Amino acid sequence: MLTLAIETSCDETSASVLDGVSVLSNIISTQLFHSKFGGVVPEVASREHLKKIIPVTNEALKDAGVSLQDIDLICGTTEPGLIGALLVGANFAKSLSVSLGKPFVPVNHIKAHLYSPFIGNERIDFPFLGLIISGGHTLLILVEGLFRHRIIGKTIDDAAGEAFDKAAKLLGLGYPGGRLIDDLAKEGDPEFHKFPKAVIKNSEFDFSFSGIKTSLLYYLRKHFSGKLPEGDQLRGICASYQRAIVDMLFEKTFRAAVKFDVKNVAVSGGVSANSGVRGRFGEMRKEDYIILFPESEYTSDNAAMIGFAGFLEYSSSKSDLAGLSVHARPRIDYENF
Ligand code: KG4
Ligand code: ZN
């Protein structure tokens, strides 16, 4: 069964072809020019998706060695994301579905991240604990079965990726900042400065990342009075800041793993590419935990994860998904996740 998947929820235009659970092609076109604005400009992103969606889809079909007429299933991201950007990909995917007479599966982008560590696998071992760490969301989810999700923790303010991006801006590094901080942190001393870890009253598994960013802002004002840190100081700040974020993610996740007695942990989203996250979580393999990460091309936004999640949903669903009547929505619906 051949699936064509489309993703346009933020600043990546992506199309992918899958044969069952195997990815045949995954084309990602990233809109790099947003970096000069220090963040994604929604209207500009939508217009760029319009320009790119057909060439990117054609490339995905060509790369997979298939034609549009061979496709059996169409999947597209319908939520959450920038509404204008979502509308381009979702409506393009729906139009293909109507013109080819093939079913359309609407896919939740965050659910797609959640299952991305399993791309290519015929079998998923349940239960697992999913930690999704992206630019807009931070969620800890107990996955009891396929699409049986229990949200046990989420951020009460900024997402983990946002904490990296905002710090990079304060440090004059550019956007998006996660990878830039990660690269500097690799060469820095994580003991350089102790950033405070958030304490959240009455909530065991929720996260908070706005305090650490504010703490960095005050630290820079106090010690660098308007100038930007450089050299070892910059590397030390990045390493210390990254360590504090990784510690917060790690401690809550493993407290939850113990409490819910789950040995399988799957970490996903853009921040799952972080070397500190991979190192710290990976150490738990010594304690008999199974720690899964997506392959690097599936950490950031990509259509392969949309196709994989959509295919899982389609093949496990007994009823008609009535996908064409599902509209694009900017926000995540936590109640029905
Ligand atoms: O999942 P994603 O591609 O997009 C969203 O759905 O939001 O995540 C993007 C986020 C950005 O905040 C980016 O700075 C962060 O992932 N990121 C990283 C790394 N690579 C990307 N954060 C830390 N370390 C990295 N190596
Ligand atoms: Zn994402």
Side-chain angles (χ1 to χ4, degrees), residues 52-93:
K52 288 282 167 63
I53 191 72
I54 293 175
V56 163
T57 303
N58 281 337
E59 203 179 330
L61 290 165
K62 190 166 164 237
D63 215 28
V66 304
S67 76
L68 204 48
Q69 280 63 36
D70 300 326
I71 299 295
D72 305 298
L73 183 69
I74 311 278
C75 300
T77 309
T78 48
E79 65 175 274
L82 302 171
I83 189 64
L86 283 169
L87 279 167
V88 174
N91 285 333
F92 176 70

Side-chain angles (χ1 to χ4, degrees), residues 56 62 65 80 108 121-122 152 162-163 198 206 249 262 264 267 271 279:
V56 163
K62 190 166 164 237
N108 177 306
N121 292 19
E122 292 283 352
I152 57 175
E162 222 173 334
D206 281 341
L249 293 168
V262 177
N264 293 2
V267 188
V271 185

Side-chain angles (χ1 to χ4, degrees), residues 2 58 65 69 161 189 233 240 246 254 287:
L2 290 177
N58 281 337
Q69 280 63 36
D189 174 13
Q233 288 182 318
S240 309
V246 172
F254 281 92
E287 311 287 323

Side-chain angles (χ1 to χ4, degrees), residues 167-173 184 192 195 216 219-221 223-238:
K169 209 171 201 173
L170 291 174
L171 293 166
L173 297 176
L184 288 161
F192 182 81
F195 285 102
L216 172 63
Y219 175 80
L220 293 176
R221 272 191 197 157
H223 297 275
F224 294 90
S225 48
K227 294 202 192 71
L228 292 172
E230 291 173 1
D232 279 346
Q233 288 182 318
L234 174 61
R235 289 188 280 271
I237 292 169
C238 290

Side-chain angles (χ1 to χ4, degrees), residues 148-224:
R148 283 175 43 216
H149 308 142
R150 209 165 119 197
I151 298 178
I152 57 175
K154 54 180 182 303
T155 181
I156 59 164
D157 40 54
D158 290 350
E162 222 173 334
F164 277 103
D165 294 337
K166 287 181 174 171
K169 209 171 201 173
L170 291 174
L171 293 166
L173 297 176
Y175 176 89
R179 199 182 48 77
L180 302 169
I181 291 189
D182 192 2
D183 287 344
L184 288 161
K186 283 178 197 155
E187 312 289 322
D189 174 13
E191 306 289 337
F192 182 81
H193 178 69
K194 211 168 169 46
F195 285 102
K197 286 184 217 156
V199 180
I200 307 164
K201 282 193 191 137
N202 308 324
S203 136
E204 215 178 345
F205 301 118
D206 281 341
F207 302 92
S208 165
F209 295 106
S210 72
I212 186 170
K213 165 213 65 193
T214 310
S215 156
L216 172 63
L217 173 70
Y218 289 137
Y219 175 80
L220 293 176
R221 272 191 197 157
K222 185 167 168 200
H223 297 275
F224 294 90

Side-chain angles (χ1 to χ4, degrees), residues 258-323:
V258 171
K259 179 165 176 175
F260 295 100
D261 194 21
V262 177
K263 284 284 183 190
N264 293 2
V265 177
V267 188
S268 59
V271 185
S272 73
N274 184 269
S275 61
V277 168
R278 293 214 168 201
R280 187 82 196 273
F281 279 70
E283 276 171 25
M284 293 304 286
R285 293 186 177 121
K286 286 188 236 140
E287 311 287 323
D288 283 344
Y289 281 90
I290 295 169
I291 313 293
L292 297 169
F293 294 104
E295 282 177 35
S296 67
E297 67 174 307
Y298 309 136
T299 53
S300 293
D301 295 346
N302 66 90
M305 69 177 189
I306 303 300
F308 183 65
F311 173 75
L312 291 180
E313 180 134 21
Y314 182 77
S315 39
S316 65
S317 166
K318 304 274 177 286
S319 58
D320 177 17
L321 290 165

